[in-house]
Amino acid sequence: MEPDVLGPPYERQTIDLGTDDEGPVVATLVRRRADRPTGRAVLYVHGFVDYFFQTHLADFFAERGWDFYALDLRKYGRSLLPHQTPNFCLDLAEYFPELDAAAKIVREDDGHDIVLGMGHSTGGLIISLWAHARRDAGLVDGLFLNSPFFDLNLPWVLRRPGAAAVARLARSAPKRVVRPGLGTVYGESIHADHRGEWNFDLAWKPLAGFPVRAGWLAAVRRGQQQLHAGLDIQVPVLVAASTRSFKGMKWQDAAALADAVLDVEHMVRWAPRLGRHVTLARFDGGLHDLTLSGSAVREKVFAEVGRWADAFLGAGPTVRDGEAPATSVPPAPRPAEAEAAAPHA
């Protein structure tokens, strides 16, 4: 490990992934150790046009004895090299090697017994597909999916026939730009220079995003179709989403209290297809990255994640240093959080 751009106590390790058609490829694993380690760890995967900068999320777990690891995937953030097309892939399974390598470091090299996989947005889709593909390997003990990218936020005609046209284009011109960016509404809602409270590197996470390319969109669509057909994730899964979406391309105050990137009802619809032990939690006023929501909302998110981990991972109470552990049985899930069973392909 070497010092990370976030400064102490963050360290990072570069994972060499060989080469592809653009040249050398790497991923980057960032680590923040707990002062009082407990054998528990989080492995976090960011979303599209994203990288790890959410230090308050790492602090939440570290204060409770969880070592925190965040993976900047190939061609994202710390792993983006000058010769590469930002955030580009042709298949979401391309990310499995760095996830495998990261899980090995967390489990074998650093000796953790319990690992919570966490994915935001596109990262939520990727880590779900990986957990399904590696379901017999015992790499994670649970998944927390923060506003996962389970379907395209488009009208039906673009989500189905339109996506098929993009798939055809991807075969002949995978790097063809099909959308110049994602708009600035969400970026404005979270960045401290605009209407938010967070600072992040705008070279790695531009407010308007990077261009959406045909090959990447086709890869996402194939991954979503696999999910829709039914996965068989063997560990408990917590899916979290806002209660509402914001659809506009120009700023309105409603965007400060909603998911301005994805359709939250897609997350609710497809969550049961992940596996046989799925919990759904929704948060009024939540942003697309729920952990970047206003303080009152994110406190509820963290409380729910801690309660769920205590109940389902067999990890013991998730409490801060100096806090007394809870002695009562955790309350029964509310109706919106009921476990979901679904047919599998």
Side-chain angles (χ1 to χ4, degrees):
M1 290 279 185
E2 62 183 10
D4 184 60
V5 295
L6 293 173
Y10 293 91
E11 310 166 282
R12 70 179 181 187
Q13 178 175 340
T14 300
I15 300 171
D16 186 352
L17 297 168
T19 61
D20 66 5
D21 63 313
E22 293 185 327
V25 181
V26 300
T28 310
L29 187 65
V30 180
R31 181 176 69 187
R32 192 254 199 254
R33 285 195 180 277
D35 294 332
R36 179 183 53 85
T38 59
R40 296 174 284 182
V42 173
L43 177 57
Y44 173 84
V45 182
H46 56 78
F48 182 56
V49 189
D50 206 359
Y51 72 101
F52 172 66
F53 64 90
Q54 298 88 339
T55 56
H56 64 296
L57 175 61
D59 290 343
F60 169 81
F61 283 99
E63 288 169 359
R64 290 156 176 79
W66 296 68
D67 289 343
F68 189 92
Y69 297 77
L71 184 63
D72 275 14
L73 301 169
R74 63 184 71 195
K75 306 186 183 184
Y76 284 85
R78 298 165 179 81
S79 307
L80 179 61
L81 302 178
H83 60 274
Q84 293 177 327
T85 304
N87 302 188
F88 183 74
C89 75
L90 290 172
D91 193 310
L92 297 185
E94 290 178 21
Y95 301 119
F96 291 2
E98 53 254 59
L99 279 162
D100 291 340
K104 178 181 182 299
I105 292 169
V106 175
R107 284 264 187 206
E108 299 179 19
D109 297 356
D110 290 356
H112 293 92
D113 301 316
I114 295 174
V115 178
L116 171 63
M118 183 179 300
H120 167 55
S121 196
T122 307
L125 176 62
I126 292 168
I127 204 169
S128 297
L129 297 172
W130 173 74
H132 168 77
R134 304 290 190 263
R135 59 189 177 277
D136 296 324
L139 299 181
V140 293
D141 299 283
L143 291 181
F144 167 45
L145 308 180
N146 170 7
S147 303
F149 189 13
F150 284 169
D151 211 336
L152 302 179
N153 188 13
L154 296 168
W156 182 89
V157 70
L158 295 177
R159 226 169 45 240
R160 300 298 184 264
V166 169
R168 292 191 295 271
L169 176 62
R171 289 192 286 270
S172 60
K175 292 184 180 176
R176 179 77 60 83
V177 173
V178 296
R179 185 172 176 176
L182 303 177
T184 64
V185 170
Y186 176 60
E188 290 179 35
S189 75
I190 59 175
H191 199 278
D193 289 347
H194 297 271
R195 296 174 170 88
E197 57 181 298
W198 311 101
N199 285 301
F200 47 85
D201 191 328
L202 293 174
W204 289 346
K205 185 178 175 62
L207 291 186
F210 291 108
V212 175
R213 299 177 186 274
W216 176 86
L217 188 57
V220 166
R221 195 64 195 145
R222 288 194 301 274
Q224 291 172 341
Q225 289 170 337
Q226 184 182 356
L227 165 68
H228 298 172
L231 304 183
D232 188 21
I233 296 173
Q234 297 290 303
V235 298
V237 183
L238 172 62
V239 177
S242 181
T243 56
R244 64 179 74 91
S245 297
F246 175 81
K247 300 289 188 178
M249 294 299 292
K250 293 184 178 180
W251 179 262
Q252 297 178 30
D253 289 344
L257 298 170
D259 189 323
V261 178
L262 298 180
D263 187 330
V264 295
E265 299 308 322
H266 292 160
M267 304 168 201
V268 175
R269 176 182 180 183
W270 297 115
R273 298 302 180 97
L274 292 162
R276 299 185 182 276
H277 190 154
V278 178
T279 303
L280 175 65
R282 304 190 70 175
F283 298 91
D284 191 35
L287 298 181
H288 177 54
D289 184 339
L290 293 164
T291 71
L292 302 182
S293 303
S295 59
V297 176
R298 64 178 182 263
E299 286 174 9
K300 292 178 182 178
V301 173
F302 290 155
E304 188 67 29
V305 173
R307 186 173 74 94
W308 176 86
D310 297 346
F312 294 122
L313 297 194
T318 303
V319 297
R320 289 189 183 91
D321 290 340
E323 285 182 343
T327 56
S328 60
V329 176
R334 295 182 293 274
E337 302 169 331
E339 293 177 14
H344 300 280

